[in-house]
């Protein structure tokens, strides 16, 4: 490896999604399904059609985030931005909201914003209804309440004709299935918030033995940020989550043997050859000043002129507002003079005044304020003209504020006094250029050594961040031990890795090493990585939608929703297992059960009647 490799942060800004015009093929002869991969990190949406005119890839890809600003002071209302319209997440980090808790959507008002963004940018006329079938991904073993709220949103708010729910990792599994692949396998899906180990037997998910680890790419980014902020406290604010995600995506890898890899990093030669330097942005401006006294005086004059222009603009705006209010008050006074008492009293109520005397007092004060403002504007113009005519650049000792500067100008200039507080040297001294005592570029570099393997290692060793959970290897072994040896041999023949958090180099080799340690001697197993771990879930959902477009299997119609409730699910090859809500039935009240109550009622009656 090359030594002293320096990489610059891209800090790429998100480009806003354009409003796309749907082709005629998505409407004729019937509306084609709309596939939405509703991920906790990123939302992907596109059409599912066998027509070559319809793109076979997601047309929208944006972060599942929304931010609502508080609105400007001028009276503009709050503005809501979704996904790529945010531009960059860091300036709005404290305003960002996500509809997900882990990988389950729970904030349905934010989910509605994401769906509105999808329908609007894809050109779907959502005014009234969305007449396209929807294929939506959901979490493994999704809670019934979450599915109920999502179905209610789709059927009641958007009036969709039918919906199909499926698991994203299973869609990816079936999209990558080749001719010689078995229908059974062990799916390891690691995403932004969670990691799942899913056994698939004979083409169906075995939901009873699914396991989840509450760790993913989000926790790795937070851990890496904490490591680097402790290592470089001088660059605390510059070490942002977006930059940590960039380091994870492009500079991190999974060690095949973590302890052995740490021993390698102890070698200075190995450290120099494999260490990555991340360059933070910085400025080349020196702390010292090399300006001459004439340049300082000229800069001071420029700042003074800008302040005078700013004050003049403020006075003109104030004069315009006061003049408009004065004209309004004079109009009300004319109503009183003309004898139109009803309109006069109505206008007084609108102005929040009680009597004509109060109106006259306001008119007098406002007239005086308008005249004073006009005098200030005229005086400021005269002062500027005098300064322009009488200015003498060869005598820098003149007072730049003028003899008749207004109090408002003096107060505004006092705010900038630290900018002008340079002493006038009695004797001109030669100015020497200030040389930096260290390399600024190197000072703003982050040296990535063992951090490259420590952050992604948490999915195998959650104890690194203090989590009391099992890693991927222990969870795989636990799931496999719940099956007979024959089924274990079938599952390990197709260990499938998918999800955005499985794109680290070395992850496949690490899983193979862990399987080799836990499996019997000379037993066989195979590990496969998805062709596109991030997009294969959407591609698999599209393949399913094209194949089952005209069938009833897997589709929940509006009639099903109204009859069986929002939590209802029609199962298919890539879906969850539907577990209906079972309410305990009340035991029927028989004659024997009613007899004690009658005796009790008779015993609590009137004592006189009992006698």
């Amino acid at each position: 490896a090359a030594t002293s490799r320096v990489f610059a942060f891209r800090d790429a800004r998100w480009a806003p999604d354009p409003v796309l015009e749907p082709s005629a093929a998505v409407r004729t002869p019937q509306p084609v399904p709309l596939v939405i991969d509703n991920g906790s990190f990123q939302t992907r949406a596109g059409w599912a059609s066998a027509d070559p005119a319809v793109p076979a890839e997601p047309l929208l890809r944006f972060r599942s985030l929304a931010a609502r600003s508080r609105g400007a002071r001028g009276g503009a209302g709050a503005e809501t931005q979704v996904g790529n319209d945010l531009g960059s997440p860091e300036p709005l980090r404290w305003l960002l909201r996500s509809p997900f808790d882990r990988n389950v959507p729970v904030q349905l008002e934010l989910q509605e914003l994401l769906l509105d963004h999808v329908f609007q940018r894809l050109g779907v006329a959502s005014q009234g209804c969305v007449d396209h079938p929807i294929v939506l991904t959901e979490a493994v073993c999704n809670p019934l309440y979450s599915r109920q709220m999502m179905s209610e949103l789709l059927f009641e708010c958007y009036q969709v004709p039918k919906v199909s729910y499926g698991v994203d990792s299973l869609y990816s599994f079936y999209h990558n299935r080749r001719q010689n692949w078995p229908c059974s396998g062990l799916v390891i899906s690691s995403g932004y918030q969670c990691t799942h180990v899913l056994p698939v037997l004979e083409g169906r998910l075995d939901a009873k033995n699914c396991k989840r680890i509450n760790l993913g790419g989000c926790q790795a980014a937070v851990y890496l940020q904490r490591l680097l902020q402790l290592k470089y406290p001088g660059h605390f604010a510059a070490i942002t989550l977006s930059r940590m995600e960039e380091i994870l995506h492009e500079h991190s890898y999974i060690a095949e043997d973590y302890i052995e890899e740490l021993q390698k990093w102890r070698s200075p030669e190995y450290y120099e050859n494999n260490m990555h330097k991340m360059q933070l942005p910085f400025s080349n401006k020196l702390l010292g000043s090399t300006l001459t006294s004439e340049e300082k005086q000229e800069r001071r004059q420029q700042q003074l002129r800008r302040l005078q222009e700013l004050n003049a603009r403020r006075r003109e705006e104030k004069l315009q507002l006061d003049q408009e209010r004065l004209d309004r008050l004079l109009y009300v006074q004319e109503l009183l003079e003309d004898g139109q008492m009803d309109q006069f009293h109505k206008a007084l109520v609108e102005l929040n005044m009680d009597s004509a005397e109060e109106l006259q007092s306001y008119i007098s004060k406002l007239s005086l304020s308008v005249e004073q403002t006009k005098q200030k504007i005229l005086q400021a113009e005269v002062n500027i003209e005098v300064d322009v005519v009488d200015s003498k650049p060869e005598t820098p000792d003149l007072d730049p504020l003028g003899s008749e500067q207004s109090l408002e100008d003096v107060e505004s200039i006092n705010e900038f006094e630290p900018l002008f507080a340079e002493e006038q040297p009695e004797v001109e001294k030669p100015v020497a250029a200030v040389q930096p005592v260290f390399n600024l570029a190197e000072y703003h570099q982050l040296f990535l050594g063992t951090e490259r393997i420590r952050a992604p290692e948490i999915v195998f060793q959650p104890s690194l961040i203090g989590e009391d959970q099992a890693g991927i290897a222990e969870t795989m072994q636990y799931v496999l031990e719940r099956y007979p040896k024959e089924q274990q041999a079938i599952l390990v023949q197709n260990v499938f890795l998918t999800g955005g958090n499985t794109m680290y180099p070395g992850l496949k080799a690490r899983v193979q090493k862990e399987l080799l340690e836990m499996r019997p001697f000379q037993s066989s197993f195979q590990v496969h990585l998805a062709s596109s771990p991030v997009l294969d879930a959407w591609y698999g959902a599209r393949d399913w939608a094209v194949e089952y477009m005209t069938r009833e299997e897997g589709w929940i119609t509006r009639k099903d929703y109204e009859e069986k409730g929002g939590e209802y699910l029609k199962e298919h090859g890539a879906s969850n297992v539907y577990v209906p809500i079972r309410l305990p039935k009340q035991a029927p009240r028989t004659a024997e059960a009613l007899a004690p109550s009658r005796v009790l009622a008779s015993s609590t009656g009137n004592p006189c009647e009992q006698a």
Side-chain angles (χ1 to χ4, degrees):
T3 59
S4 301
R5 305 181 63 182
V6 180
F7 301 88
F9 287 107
R10 294 197 310 270
D11 292 336
R13 291 184 59 84
W14 303 336
D17 296 316
V19 178
L20 304 175
E21 290 292 335
S23 62
V26 304
R27 302 285 305 171
T28 56
Q30 60 182 359
V32 301
L34 176 60
V35 179
I36 302 176
D37 182 8
N38 193 32
S40 60
F41 178 76
Q42 193 178 60
T43 300
R44 309 165 192 91
W47 303 105
S49 175
D51 195 327
V54 179
E57 58 185 13
L59 300 178
L60 286 182
R61 295 176 59 185
F62 59 90
R63 288 288 297 270
S64 302
L65 297 172
R68 178 170 295 172
S69 62
R70 295 181 178 178
R73 293 184 179 179
E79 181 183 3
T80 302
Q81 295 176 320
V82 177
N84 293 332
D85 292 345
L86 295 170
S88 176
E90 292 309 324
L92 303 172
R93 178 68 66 179
W94 62 285
L95 285 174
L96 295 180
R97 299 292 181 268
S98 173
F100 292 88
D101 182 7
R102 295 293 181 181
N103 60 336
V104 177
V106 293
Q107 302 288 340
L108 270 299
E109 64 275 5
L110 297 176
Q111 183 65 56
E112 183 178 355
L113 292 177
L114 299 184
L115 293 177
D116 285 341
H117 184 78
V118 169
F119 297 144
Q120 178 188 5
R121 298 309 166 95
L122 288 181
V124 179
S126 58
Q127 296 295 332
C129 69
V130 176
D131 55 354
H132 291 270
I134 303 294
V135 178
L136 193 69
T137 60
E138 64 177 7
V140 182
C141 302
N142 192 33
L144 297 182
Y145 177 76
S146 176
R147 185 184 302 132
Q148 177 185 358
M149 298 300 294
M150 186 67 72
S151 296
E152 181 179 344
L153 177 65
L154 292 173
F155 283 109
E156 301 294 345
C157 181
Y158 296 106
Q159 304 292 325
V160 297
K162 54 184 179 179
V163 180
S164 177
Y165 296 105
V167 180
D168 51 359
S169 52
L170 296 182
Y171 279 135
S172 177
F173 178 71
Y174 288 110
H175 176 72
N176 286 270
R177 186 173 56 184
R178 300 181 180 89
Q179 295 295 330
N180 56 347
W181 274 30
C183 294
S184 301
L186 191 66
V187 180
I188 300 176
S189 172
S190 185
Y192 188 61
Q193 292 283 358
C194 299
T195 299
H196 293 91
V197 178
L198 312 176
V200 178
L201 291 173
E202 297 180 357
R204 289 297 291 127
L205 174 68
D206 186 7
K208 293 183 179 181
N209 294 320
C210 294
K211 296 299 172 185
R212 181 183 69 185
I213 307 170
N214 289 323
L215 292 174
C218 176
Q219 289 74 23
V222 172
Y223 180 48
L224 180 60
Q225 182 187 35
R226 186 171 60 187
L227 289 176
L228 293 180
Q229 284 178 343
L230 290 174
K231 187 176 181 180
Y232 299 99
H235 305 305
F236 191 90
I239 301 174
T240 61
L241 278 177
S242 298
R243 289 172 177 167
M244 297 306 99
E245 291 172 358
E246 182 179 338
I247 291 176
L248 286 176
H249 294 164
E250 300 182 5
H251 303 278
S252 299
Y253 65 96
I254 296 287
E256 185 172 348
D257 190 318
Y258 182 67
I259 302 301
E260 182 180 348
E261 190 73 16
L262 288 179
Q263 294 295 331
K264 292 180 181 179
W265 278 98
R266 296 182 64 181
S267 170
E269 182 179 357
Y270 187 88
Y271 180 85
E272 289 295 331
N273 293 336
N274 294 276
M275 178 259 299
H276 287 189
K277 299 178 181 179
M278 303 303 300
Q279 183 67 61
L280 292 171
F282 67 98
S283 175
N284 280 320
K285 292 182 180 179
L286 301 180
L287 299 178
S289 176
T290 59
L291 298 178
T292 63
S293 59
E294 291 81 4
E295 292 174 345
K296 294 177 182 178
Q297 185 71 16
E298 180 63 26
R299 178 173 297 182
R300 185 177 180 182
Q301 292 288 344
Q302 292 176 359
Q303 294 176 349
L304 175 61
R305 283 193 293 269
R306 285 198 295 269
L307 286 176
Q308 291 175 342
E309 294 173 359
L310 178 62
N311 287 328
R313 193 179 308 114
R314 289 177 178 174
R315 290 195 194 96
E316 292 176 357
E317 294 175 356
K318 182 178 182 299
L319 177 62
Q320 182 180 1
L321 293 176
D322 290 345
Q323 188 65 46
E324 291 177 357
R325 184 167 178 80
L326 180 60
D327 294 340
R328 172 64 177 166
L329 296 179
L330 292 174
Y331 171 74
V332 176
Q333 188 179 24
E334 290 177 0
L335 293 178
L336 176 62
E337 295 173 354
D338 295 343
Q340 302 178 12
M341 302 305 296
D342 294 339
Q343 298 183 8
F344 172 72
H345 289 298
K346 186 184 296 185
L348 280 183
V349 172
E350 292 178 357
L351 294 173
N352 198 17
M353 295 183 185
D354 298 331
S355 62
E357 291 77 9
E358 186 178 359
L359 174 65
Q360 187 62 37
S361 175
Y362 270 99
I363 291 177
S364 301
K365 293 179 181 178
L366 207 53
S367 300
L368 181 60
S369 175
V370 169
E371 290 299 326
Q372 290 178 353
T373 306
K374 289 181 179 179
Q375 292 296 328
K376 287 182 180 180
I377 292 176
L378 292 176
Q379 187 66 32
E381 292 177 355
V382 171
N383 289 338
I384 292 176
E385 291 177 0
V386 171
D387 290 342
V388 172
V389 173
D390 298 339
S391 60
K392 297 179 180 180
E394 66 274 6
T395 57
D397 294 334
L398 290 177
D399 183 12
L401 299 179
S403 60
E404 298 182 3
Q405 189 63 251
S406 66
L407 180 61
E408 189 175 355
D409 290 341
V410 174
E411 292 176 354
S412 300
I413 293 173
N414 287 336
E415 298 176 0
F416 293 84
E417 191 64 29
L419 300 176
F420 305 142
E422 292 113 357
E423 296 181 358
Q424 295 293 336
E426 297 180 359
V427 180
E428 188 70 24
K429 297 180 180 180
V431 180
V434 179
Q435 297 295 333
V437 296
F438 57 88
N439 190 346
L440 283 176
E442 187 174 348
Y443 174 73
H444 289 83
Q445 287 176 359
L446 306 180
F447 288 43
L448 299 180
T450 57
E451 292 85 5
R452 296 179 59 194
I453 62 173
R454 290 178 69 182
E457 181 68 20
I458 65 172
V459 293
F460 288 93
Q461 300 186 54
S463 59
L464 290 176
I465 59 173
E467 291 288 341
D468 188 15
Q469 300 184 50
I472 289 181
E474 293 87 348
T475 307
M476 279 195 305
Q477 185 175 6
Y478 178 80
V479 170
L480 289 174
E481 288 178 351
R482 298 175 68 89
Y483 294 96
K485 292 184 178 181
E486 296 77 11
Q487 289 185 340
Q488 290 184 24
I490 295 175
L491 290 174
V492 298
Q493 290 303 317
N494 188 13
V495 178
F496 179 71
L497 307 177
T498 185
N501 205 39
T502 62
M503 299 179 66
Y504 296 114
L507 178 64
K508 182 178 178 180
R510 175 65 175 272
V511 174
Q512 289 175 339
K513 173 182 175 296
E514 299 289 350
L515 283 172
L516 184 63
E517 293 179 355
M518 72 178 66
R519 294 300 298 158
F521 178 64
Q522 291 185 345
S523 63
S524 62
F525 57 85
Q526 294 184 14
V527 180
H528 304 278
L529 181 64
S531 57
S532 177
V534 175
L535 295 179
D536 278 353
W538 187 91
Y539 289 136
R542 176 192 174 275
D543 297 342
W544 183 92
V546 171
E547 182 179 356
Y548 289 85
M549 187 185 308
T550 57
R551 305 184 191 178
E552 295 184 359
E553 179 184 354
W555 292 103
I556 306 170
T557 62
R558 184 173 184 84
K559 183 179 179 181
D560 296 330
Y561 165 74
E562 293 175 350
E563 291 181 356
K564 303 175 182 179
E567 70 277 0
Y568 176 66
L569 173 68
K570 273 192 178 179
E571 298 182 8
H572 56 86
S575 72
N576 278 309
V577 177
Y578 175 54
V579 180
I581 299 178
R582 293 184 175 89
L583 298 176
K585 295 182 180 181
Q586 295 183 356
R589 303 186 66 182
T590 59
E592 292 78 3
L594 293 175
S597 62
R598 291 173 181 172
V599 173
L600 180 63
S602 62
S603 64
T604 58
N606 191 351
C608 297
E609 293 179 358
Q610 294 178 7

